[in-house]
Amino acid sequence: MARPYKIPQSVLVVIHTPALEVLLIRRADAQEHWQSVTGSKDTEAEELRETARREVFEETGIVCAEGLVDWNLENVYEIWPQWLHRYAPGVRHNTEHLFSLAVPAGTPVQLHAREHTALQWLPWEAAAEACFSPSNAEAILMLPRFAARA
């Protein structure tokens, strides 16, 4: 059975502690790529907040009971050529919706082994520098402003 095409609507969730240490996870399919939690909607009807909760749980094992903040910001970017095959023919851009999730320091993380191979907690500025994605780095650099509002 063929896999359905990915929906070009995704979330990026910056997971952080109160001290603004940011969780970064390393992609299994690109070992040099560190990132925050990301993922696409499973269905067109899925609410973005639910996508964010589901992706956080699938990728880290963290349950979003509270602390998930919708930044009401989005990035539209061109999909990297190596991942175009995951989308319907003609789809070239994705819309990424930004969220953050505050968790207590020491929150256990259980990575989804097929998607990610390592994790690290870094101070927010160092985390931004470590990200391969410019939009992910930019979101982390905005974290202090959004964390102060939460």
Side-chain angles (χ1 to χ4, degrees):
M1 176 181 236
R3 269 183 121 164
Y5 291 120
K6 288 182 71 145
I7 297 168
Q9 292 278 325
S10 67
V11 297
L12 181 142
V13 184
V14 178
I15 300 174
H16 66 92
T17 67
L20 300 186
E21 291 182 316
V22 173
L23 175 64
L24 291 183
I25 50 184
R26 186 170 61 201
R27 293 183 63 95
D29 63 355
Q31 289 292 309
E32 68 281 3
H33 289 181
W34 288 91
Q35 66 181 52
S36 295
V37 167
T38 63
S40 297
K41 291 172 74 170
D42 269 353
T43 67
E44 291 286 348
E46 185 177 45
E47 296 286 332
L48 290 167
R49 183 173 288 279
E50 184 53 37
T51 303
R53 284 189 184 108
R54 177 180 51 74
E55 288 292 340
V56 166
F57 181 72
E58 287 176 3
E59 295 186 12
T60 69
I62 297 172
V63 176
C64 295
E66 55 186 56
L68 184 65
V69 177
D70 184 343
W71 291 8
N72 295 307
L73 293 175
E74 58 186 42
N75 296 311
V76 177
Y77 61 86
E78 193 168 345
I79 299 165
W80 289 28
Q82 66 264 36
W83 292 318
L84 279 173
H85 69 279
R86 297 177 179 177
Y87 297 87
V91 173
R92 297 282 182 260
H93 292 87
N94 182 68
T95 302
E96 174 181 76
H97 303 270
L98 305 180
F99 291 82
S100 61
L101 175 65
V103 298
T107 296
V109 175
Q110 180 64 49
L111 295 179
H112 187 289
R114 281 184 301 164
E115 291 190 40
H116 299 95
T117 60
L119 67 93
Q120 59 182 332
W121 290 92
L122 294 173
W124 64 276
E125 290 167 310
E129 286 183 30
C131 286
F132 82 95
S133 162
S135 65
N136 195 164
E138 183 180 352
I140 292 171
L141 291 174
M142 292 188 291
L143 178 62
R145 182 174 54 179
F146 283 94
R149 294 182 192 170

